[in-house]
Amino acid sequence: MPVEITWWGHATCTVEDSHVRVLTDPLFARRLAHLRRRRGALPPPAARHADVTLVSHLHADHLHVPSLARLAPGSRLLVPRGAPRAVPGLRRLALDITEVVPGDRVRIGEVVVRVVPARHDGRRLPLGPHRSPALGYVVEGEARTYFAGDTGLFETMAEEVGPVDAALLPVGGWGPNLGEGHLDAGRAAQALARLAPRTAVPVHYGTYWPIGMDAVRPHEFHAPGEEFVRQAALRAPEVAVHRLGHGESLRLEVAR
């Protein structure tokens, strides 16, 4: 059975595996605070349909309460432990929320979602001291698909994430500078060399940009996907890299 991966923009993806739809970090807004969606149409209503939704960390462009409120009542939602305390709006949603930490495994139908660590600031900035772990997830069904969320490169990535068939890796951001705890195109290619999946898809770039900064380092908005393809060919030439457009899907035929 083929596995299908769709990139809706930023860190929002749908992974369909074993008849289970998994949605990551849904962001369905044209504008978020000082950010504006500059490229790609908003995800269609069908993108909200999921058997489980994964939230990687508490930053507002990944845990976006108004977008989560558009999910069907009773939908399953996995969030970092402590998220409902740090983000009170979560507790008002009619969703089935499960708090998770690295090492947890959650079964949904024929799929197991394995929770893995990420190296990223897990606070709900700038609203106080509450911390939750930043997470990645591996969706294990016909394929093993790694969604990294936001993360920096770390030495034990291959061991802690484990063998994967496909990797959805962040390669950029939403501003002219990436802070600590992020992957740019070069570091994402290093991560690819460590993980050695069969397939990779660059995400978290080319979607949102600060209002009024269209002319500030515009290559940082447009270029990360292409640069990742170039860097990956040098560092991990055995990996098939697919640079998807917004709303575009990739079908994987997995034989293990």
Side-chain angles (χ1 to χ4, degrees), residues 25-236:
D25 287 353
L27 184 54
F28 302 142
R30 294 190 182 279
R31 179 173 175 176
L32 171 63
H34 64 297
L35 304 179
R36 174 174 59 89
R37 190 173 180 118
R38 284 189 58 200
R39 183 186 288 172
L42 286 177
R48 306 171 198 167
H49 300 159
D51 297 292
V52 64
T53 298
L54 314 178
V55 169
S56 63
H57 63 288
L58 272 55
H59 292 174
D61 58 321
H62 293 260
L63 195 169
H64 186 242
V65 173
S67 294
L68 294 174
R70 298 184 183 183
L71 302 178
S75 294
R76 191 82 182 272
L77 178 66
L78 306 188
V79 300
R81 180 178 291 173
R85 179 182 67 162
V87 187
L90 274 177
R91 301 197 293 266
R92 294 191 287 271
L93 300 178
L95 301 175
D96 179 6
I97 299 176
T98 301
E99 300 179 49
V100 294
V101 295
D104 286 348
R105 299 173 66 90
V106 180
R107 176 171 289 278
I108 300 96
E110 297 301 312
V111 160
V112 171
V113 175
R114 183 163 54 87
V115 185
V116 299
R119 299 296 187 269
H120 192 69
D121 187 340
R123 291 176 295 172
R124 180 71 164 184
L125 298 174
L127 301 178
H130 297 308
R131 287 182 177 270
S132 290
L135 305 174
Y137 297 92
V138 180
V139 179
E140 299 182 337
E142 292 292 321
R144 296 162 297 192
T145 303
Y146 171 45
F147 169 65
D150 253 352
T151 187
L153 193 66
F154 54 99
E155 288 297 324
T156 58
M157 178 177 277
E159 293 81 5
E160 297 195 69
V161 171
V164 294
D165 300 298
L168 313 180
L169 294 179
V171 301
W174 49 254
N177 295 295
L178 283 174
E180 186 179 354
H182 293 84
L183 296 177
D184 61 10
R187 291 192 292 271
Q190 293 180 54
L192 203 62
R194 295 181 184 186
L195 295 167
R198 299 176 183 177
T199 301
V201 175
V203 302
H204 203 276
Y205 79 100
T207 308
Y208 290 90
W209 202 248
I211 294 170
M213 295 184 67
D214 290 5
V216 178
R217 296 174 64 86
H219 63 284
E220 296 289 355
F221 178 82
H222 296 285
E226 293 179 0
E227 180 62 13
F228 174 68
V229 172
R230 188 184 74 82
Q231 294 271 0
L234 297 174
R235 294 181 177 271

